[in-house]
Amino acid sequence: MRNRVLVLPCLLLLQCYLVLTMETATQEKAELAIPVITLSPPEGNTTFLGGTTWCVALSGVSQIDLQNALDWACGPGMVDCSPIQEGGACFDPETLVSHASYAFNNYYQQNENSEIACNFGGTAVLTRRDPSHGKCSYAAPGSAAMSPAPSLLKGRRANFIWLKLAGIFLLLYLRR
């Protein structure tokens, strides 16, 4: 009977361990897919004399390269990509080019319109045409939308909470 009592808590702890290790492995795999950004002069502010520039994804480039660049922008690039998540103001149109354009532009604006910040392995280009549409407003230089992304430790805190809950359930179960 005692062996049966320990099976459920052990399975619960094993599940928590597997979830934590899978997320860590996924994070490490994503970091390995960081696109190589080539440096090309001139660096510095490339705002055209007549107005503002935005950084958008190129149409017709490899979908894999575009996805890797988007993953980098929303991960290590620390862009707030919540507006392009389902339910966000910039989710529609639900295309890779549209989502990448939003993320690329935010990264570009956060890095003071530096030409090097609009490369993304050759998957992005500068434009003078504001890509904003409907409720989706693309950031421009000096806009309030330009703020650093939330801490990368946010996901780790959630995992820790699940681990705490598993421990509490284990203690409650063993107390019976």
Side-chain angles (χ1 to χ4, degrees):
M1 183 66 177
R2 182 77 177 150
N3 290 341
R4 284 187 177 175
V5 172
L6 292 177
V7 171
L8 182 61
C10 289
L11 287 175
L12 186 61
L13 287 175
L14 178 63
Q15 181 181 3
C16 288
Y17 172 77
L18 290 175
V19 167
L20 291 174
T21 56
M22 286 179 153
E23 287 182 6
T24 302
T26 303
Q27 175 76 19
E28 289 170 359
K29 190 174 183 181
E31 289 172 359
L32 290 175
I34 296 172
V36 176
I37 298 176
T38 56
L39 303 177
S40 57
E43 294 181 31
N45 193 322
T46 57
T47 301
F48 294 108
L49 293 176
T52 303
T53 56
W54 291 266
C55 180
V56 295
L58 276 170
S59 297
V61 298
S62 160
Q63 296 290 296
I64 293 170
D65 291 342
L66 198 56
Q67 184 65 56
N68 285 338
L70 175 60
D71 292 343
W72 184 88
C74 293
M78 298 180 61
V79 170
D80 177 14
C81 291
S82 57
I84 56 175
Q85 301 299 316
E86 190 166 1
C90 298
F91 180 72
D92 289 322
E94 186 184 354
T95 66
L96 184 56
V97 171
S98 176
H99 290 180
S101 292
Y102 180 85
F104 293 175
N105 184 64
N106 274 6
Y107 183 82
Y108 172 69
Q109 301 299 340
Q110 284 176 0
N111 287 280
E112 301 173 357
N113 294 34
S114 172
E115 182 177 317
I116 199 167
C118 185
N119 187 316
F120 295 95
T123 62
V125 67
L126 291 175
T127 182
R128 286 190 230 183
R129 185 169 175 228
D130 184 354
S132 299
H133 53 86
K135 295 180 199 173
C136 181
S137 178
Y138 279 58
S143 69
M146 295 292 80
S147 60
S151 170
L152 295 175
L153 297 176
K154 189 176 187 179
R156 300 272 184 231
R157 287 189 201 121
N159 290 339
F160 186 67
I161 291 170
W162 281 109
L163 193 57
K164 277 180 157 179
L165 284 173
I168 290 169
F169 284 127
L170 177 64
L171 290 173
L172 290 173
Y173 187 79
L174 292 175
R175 193 172 182 203
R176 294 173 48 189

